[in-house]
Amino acid sequence: MALVVDTAPFSTTCNSYASLAGMADYVSTRVPDPAVDTAWTTLTTAQKSMYLVNATRSIDSYVEWIGDRYSRDQKLKWPRVNAYVEGFLLDQISFPERVVEATYEMAIWMMANSGEVSIDQSSSYDMIKVGPITIDFNQQALGSAKQYFPDIVAALLKDLGSAQDPDLPGQSKLKIATLHRA
């Protein structure tokens, strides 16, 4: 059975914040790189659906949203109640436009990374030095060196929630470093 994109907020099969038609319009009118539009239009409907559904799932997995879920029966984490931005209550029965746009951008990012939901970050550091104090991390202590969330998506969702790197099972991270005077 083919994956069908459903953007109706209270549908029992709702699986995406963004529609196929909305995505096509977004890449053709708002994305400055014509290669993105070409790449999107050459995908099959099934592939396009997969990118939008997976982008939505990733966003819901990595964002701690403001407010509360509207209903315990809703499939996605939006719509929400008690969600205020700059003192204004957001519409409780639809998806905010910035959530929809973030879904477009997440799908584009995933498409550019061959469907991967994370990419390696080469700019991670392995040592911190402050004056005479040096902390040298081993590979396991550094934790994740992957980016799970593109910066543009985090910027779009700035007032609506905060992006979190996933706490992966078995991931070894430095939790607390304590320095003692010798």
Side-chain angles (χ1 to χ4, degrees):
M1 185 165 148
L3 179 64
V4 176
V5 173
D6 182 354
T7 60
F10 299 108
S11 166
T12 59
T13 57
C14 183
N15 58 9
S16 179
Y17 293 125
S19 68
L20 290 168
M23 179 69 172
D25 182 57
Y26 187 83
V27 297
S28 69
T29 62
R30 303 267 312 271
V31 177
D33 185 356
V36 173
D37 186 32
T38 302
W40 181 256
T41 56
T42 59
L43 295 174
T44 67
T45 300
Q47 290 170 319
K48 293 174 184 178
S49 299
M50 182 256 327
Y51 279 118
L52 289 178
V53 169
N54 286 342
T56 299
R57 184 180 353 187
S58 293
I59 288 172
D60 266 358
S61 296
Y62 303 143
V63 174
E64 184 69 33
W65 298 108
I66 62 172
D68 304 298
R69 289 170 64 104
Y70 184 89
S71 164
R72 69 183 173 108
D73 297 326
Q74 70 192 58
K75 297 299 180 192
L76 302 178
K77 293 187 179 177
W78 280 93
R80 301 187 70 78
V81 296
N82 303 320
Y84 289 87
V85 174
E86 297 178 0
F88 296 98
L89 181 65
L90 296 177
D91 181 6
Q92 297 178 3
I93 58 171
S94 65
F95 305 137
E97 185 60 29
R98 287 189 299 160
V99 172
V100 175
E101 288 180 2
T103 305
Y104 299 147
E105 291 291 343
M106 187 73 168
I108 291 168
W109 185 74
M110 292 171 71
M111 190 173 60
N113 291 291
S114 303
E116 297 290 326
V117 293
S118 67
I119 59 171
D120 287 327
Q121 293 294 290
S122 59
S123 63
S124 297
Y125 57 86
D126 65 354
M127 184 176 66
I128 299 174
K129 183 173 182 171
V130 180
I133 300 168
T134 301
I135 302 173
D136 193 1
F137 298 99
N138 63 28
Q139 234 8 50
Q140 282 72 34
L142 235 188
S144 175
K146 295 184 178 288
Q147 180 179 0
Y148 291 88
F149 220 78
D151 294 338
I152 184 71
V153 173
L156 283 166
L157 300 177
K158 182 181 71 141
D159 295 329
L160 301 172
S162 57
Q164 310 291 324
D165 274 347
D167 194 12
L168 302 173
Q171 186 178 32
S172 178
K173 291 191 216 180
L174 178 66
K175 302 290 185 190
I176 298 174
T178 308
L179 301 175
H180 298 278
R181 187 174 294 216

mmCIF file of all heavy atoms in Angstrom, residues 145-162:
data_model
loop_
_atom_site.group_PDB
_atom_site.id
_atom_site.type_symbol
_atom_site.label_atom_id
_atom_site.label_comp_id
_atom_site.label_asym_id
_atom_site.label_seq_id
_atom_site.Cartn_x
_atom_site.Cartn_y
_atom_site.Cartn_z
ATOM 1 N N ALA A 145 28.467 13.244 17.258
ATOM 2 C CA ALA A 145 29.118 14.236 16.397
ATOM 3 C C ALA A 145 28.278 14.411 15.144
ATOM 4 O O ALA A 145 28.779 14.694 14.083
ATOM 5 C CB ALA A 145 30.526 13.784 16.052
ATOM 6 N N LYS A 146 26.993 14.215 15.292
ATOM 7 C CA LYS A 146 26.088 14.303 14.154
ATOM 8 C C LYS A 146 25.145 15.480 14.332
ATOM 9 O O LYS A 146 24.828 15.868 15.445
ATOM 10 C CB LYS A 146 25.273 13.014 14.022
ATOM 11 C CG LYS A 146 26.120 11.803 13.689
ATOM 12 C CD LYS A 146 25.231 10.594 13.485
ATOM 13 C CE LYS A 146 26.020 9.385 13.103
ATOM 14 N NZ LYS A 146 26.536 9.430 11.755
ATOM 15 N N GLN A 147 24.717 16.022 13.218
ATOM 16 C CA GLN A 147 23.699 17.063 13.246
ATOM 17 C C GLN A 147 22.392 16.403 12.846
ATOM 18 O O GLN A 147 22.286 15.804 11.786
ATOM 19 C CB GLN A 147 24.042 18.189 12.285
ATOM 20 C CG GLN A 147 23.002 19.289 12.290
ATOM 21 C CD GLN A 147 23.341 20.431 11.351
ATOM 22 O OE1 GLN A 147 24.354 20.427 10.685
ATOM 23 N NE2 GLN A 147 22.472 21.419 11.313
ATOM 24 N N TYR A 148 21.396 16.487 13.720
ATOM 25 C CA TYR A 148 20.102 15.876 13.473
ATOM 26 C C TYR A 148 19.080 16.884 12.993
ATOM 27 O O TYR A 148 17.959 16.524 12.691
ATOM 28 C CB TYR A 148 19.586 15.200 14.745
ATOM 29 C CG TYR A 148 20.387 13.996 15.122
ATOM 30 C CD1 TYR A 148 21.515 14.097 15.917
ATOM 31 C CD2 TYR A 148 20.028 12.737 14.653
ATOM 32 C CE1 TYR A 148 22.255 12.983 16.244
ATOM 33 C CE2 TYR A 148 20.758 11.622 14.975
ATOM 34 C CZ TYR A 148 21.874 11.757 15.771
ATOM 35 O OH TYR A 148 22.608 10.636 16.081
ATOM 36 N N PHE A 149 19.471 18.137 12.955
ATOM 37 C CA PHE A 149 18.520 19.202 12.722
ATOM 38 C C PHE A 149 19.200 20.330 11.975
ATOM 39 O O PHE A 149 20.167 20.891 12.481
ATOM 40 C CB PHE A 149 18.078 19.715 14.095
ATOM 41 C CG PHE A 149 16.637 20.026 14.205
ATOM 42 C CD1 PHE A 149 15.719 19.015 14.354
ATOM 43 C CD2 PHE A 149 16.204 21.325 14.180
ATOM 44 C CE1 PHE A 149 14.385 19.305 14.480
ATOM 45 C CE2 PHE A 149 14.865 21.623 14.315
ATOM 46 C CZ PHE A 149 13.958 20.598 14.466
ATOM 47 N N PRO A 150 18.753 20.688 10.792
ATOM 48 C CA PRO A 150 19.392 21.812 10.091
ATOM 49 C C PRO A 150 19.103 23.137 10.791
ATOM 50 O O PRO A 150 18.045 23.328 11.392
ATOM 51 C CB PRO A 150 18.771 21.761 8.699
ATOM 52 C CG PRO A 150 17.524 20.978 8.836
ATOM 53 C CD PRO A 150 17.687 20.076 10.013
ATOM 54 N N ASP A 151 20.050 24.047 10.701
ATOM 55 C CA ASP A 151 19.925 25.340 11.379
ATOM 56 C C ASP A 151 18.682 26.115 10.940
ATOM 57 O O ASP A 151 18.047 26.775 11.752
ATOM 58 C CB ASP A 151 21.178 26.186 11.146
ATOM 59 C CG ASP A 151 22.412 25.574 11.794
ATOM 60 O OD1 ASP A 151 22.259 24.774 12.734
ATOM 61 O OD2 ASP A 151 23.526 25.913 11.353
ATOM 62 N N ILE A 152 18.328 26.053 9.667
ATOM 63 C CA ILE A 152 17.160 26.790 9.172
ATOM 64 C C ILE A 152 15.882 26.310 9.862
ATOM 65 O O ILE A 152 15.001 27.104 10.188
ATOM 66 C CB ILE A 152 17.024 26.704 7.624
ATOM 67 C CG1 ILE A 152 15.853 27.549 7.118
ATOM 68 C CG2 ILE A 152 16.846 25.278 7.156
ATOM 69 C CD1 ILE A 152 16.059 29.022 7.198
ATOM 70 N N VAL A 153 15.783 25.026 10.137
ATOM 71 C CA VAL A 153 14.598 24.491 10.815
ATOM 72 C C VAL A 153 14.565 24.990 12.248
ATOM 73 O O VAL A 153 13.521 25.424 12.744
ATOM 74 C CB VAL A 153 14.561 22.946 10.737
ATOM 75 C CG1 VAL A 153 13.435 22.383 11.586
ATOM 76 C CG2 VAL A 153 14.411 22.497 9.291
ATOM 77 N N ALA A 154 15.695 24.949 12.925
ATOM 78 C CA ALA A 154 15.755 25.455 14.302
ATOM 79 C C ALA A 154 15.379 26.933 14.351
ATOM 80 O O ALA A 154 14.660 27.365 15.254
ATOM 81 C CB ALA A 154 17.144 25.222 14.884
ATOM 82 N N ALA A 155 15.829 27.704 13.368
ATOM 83 C CA ALA A 155 15.498 29.135 13.333
ATOM 84 C C ALA A 155 13.996 29.344 13.113
ATOM 85 O O ALA A 155 13.384 30.204 13.747
ATOM 86 C CB ALA A 155 16.301 29.833 12.241
ATOM 87 N N LEU A 156 13.410 28.577 12.221
ATOM 88 C CA LEU A 156 11.970 28.701 11.962
ATOM 89 C C LEU A 156 11.135 28.358 13.193
ATOM 90 O O LEU A 156 10.075 28.928 13.420
ATOM 91 C CB LEU A 156 11.554 27.801 10.796
ATOM 92 C CG LEU A 156 11.904 28.301 9.404
ATOM 93 C CD1 LEU A 156 11.758 27.187 8.381
ATOM 94 C CD2 LEU A 156 11.033 29.491 9.031
ATOM 95 N N LEU A 157 11.611 27.427 13.995
ATOM 96 C CA LEU A 157 10.841 26.960 15.146
ATOM 97 C C LEU A 157 11.235 27.634 16.453
ATOM 98 O O LEU A 157 10.755 27.245 17.521
ATOM 99 C CB LEU A 157 11.008 25.434 15.276
ATOM 100 C CG LEU A 157 10.533 24.625 14.080
ATOM 101 C CD1 LEU A 157 10.810 23.148 14.299
ATOM 102 C CD2 LEU A 157 9.062 24.874 13.797
ATOM 103 N N LYS A 158 12.062 28.679 16.364
ATOM 104 C CA LYS A 158 12.640 29.327 17.545
ATOM 105 C C LYS A 158 11.633 29.611 18.657
ATOM 106 O O LYS A 158 11.875 29.286 19.805
ATOM 107 C CB LYS A 158 13.345 30.611 17.124
ATOM 108 C CG LYS A 158 14.028 31.342 18.254
ATOM 109 C CD LYS A 158 14.685 32.597 17.775
ATOM 110 C CE LYS A 158 13.648 33.604 17.438
ATOM 111 N NZ LYS A 158 13.837 34.948 17.746
ATOM 112 N N ASP A 159 10.513 30.214 18.362
ATOM 113 C CA ASP A 159 9.533 30.562 19.393
ATOM 114 C C ASP A 159 8.523 29.453 19.664
ATOM 115 O O ASP A 159 7.736 29.548 20.604
ATOM 116 C CB ASP A 159 8.765 31.819 18.985
ATOM 117 C CG ASP A 159 9.661 33.041 18.905
ATOM 118 O OD1 ASP A 159 10.643 33.113 19.672
ATOM 119 O OD2 ASP A 159 9.385 33.922 18.078
ATOM 120 N N LEU A 160 8.516 28.426 18.847
ATOM 121 C CA LEU A 160 7.513 27.363 18.962
ATOM 122 C C LEU A 160 7.999 26.149 19.743
ATOM 123 O O LEU A 160 7.206 25.331 20.196
ATOM 124 C CB LEU A 160 7.068 26.918 17.567
ATOM 125 C CG LEU A 160 6.462 28.021 16.707
ATOM 126 C CD1 LEU A 160 6.243 27.529 15.291
ATOM 127 C CD2 LEU A 160 5.163 28.500 17.314
ATOM 128 N N GLY A 161 9.291 26.023 19.872
ATOM 129 C CA GLY A 161 9.863 24.898 20.592
ATOM 130 C C GLY A 161 11.373 24.947 20.513
ATOM 131 O O GLY A 161 11.947 25.813 19.870
ATOM 132 N N SER A 162 12.011 24.008 21.186
ATOM 133 C CA SER A 162 13.469 23.973 21.150
ATOM 134 C C SER A 162 13.938 22.625 20.621
ATOM 135 O O SER A 162 13.426 21.582 21.015
ATOM 136 C CB SER A 162 14.056 24.245 22.536
ATOM 137 O OG SER A 162 13.559 23.307 23.467
#
